Amino acid sequence: MKSPITTHILDTTNGVPASEVAVSLAILSPSPSASSTGGAVAPSWKTLGSSVTNSDGRCPDLLLLAKSDGSGPSVIPLVPGAVYKLAFDIEAYFKRKGLPCFFTAAEIQFRVSDPPAEHYHVPLLVSPFSYSTYRGS
């Protein structure tokens, strides 16, 4: 079973996958209507999952939940048209490598289609002084 949102990180300084990087996935929760709350309320992020990249720099399990009966994981379904955010703790990674790091974290926000595609892969290319991303396959 595969999470509908996956990522991997490549360390472009060293030319290797970035292992042991903390990654979290959140969804932007819509704000309640102003009339129901008596005023405007900003939308907020709700964390859906977190993981650490494996030896290949991948997080294949961000939207997988363990079932209480032990029968295997279940998938958290995607919300059509929702905005998601992947957050990566890149400073800790480069600190372990003994390298100074300008960026403490990388955050990537993206919207899933309506209806959602079957899978979204969002890679991150990172160095101590830059990062970039793209829609993977």
Side-chain angles (χ1 to χ4, degrees), residues 100-135:
C101 186
F102 179 72
F103 294 104
T104 60
E107 293 187 353
I108 303 166
Q109 294 181 30
F110 58 97
R111 184 181 307 277
V112 302
S113 58
D114 185 1
E118 184 175 315
H119 181 248
Y120 294 86
H121 185 64
V122 186
L124 179 67
L125 306 175
V126 66
S127 79
F129 300 99
S130 69
Y131 65 88
S132 64
T133 188
Y134 57 96
R135 167 90 191 262

Side-chain angles (χ1 to χ4, degrees), residues 22-88:
V23 179
S24 65
L25 177 66
I27 187 170
L28 186 61
S29 299
S31 61
S33 68
S35 61
S36 68
T37 62
V41 177
S44 61
W45 291 102
K46 177 185 175 196
T47 301
L48 298 175
S50 61
S51 188
V52 175
T53 56
N54 62 20
S55 62
D56 197 31
R58 296 181 182 274
C59 276
D61 58 356
L62 286 167
L63 287 176
L64 299 181
L65 290 175
K67 291 183 183 175
S68 59
D69 64 5
S71 64
S74 63
V75 175
I76 299 171
L78 294 175
V79 177
V83 176
Y84 289 84
K85 175 175 66 174
L86 283 164
F88 305 85

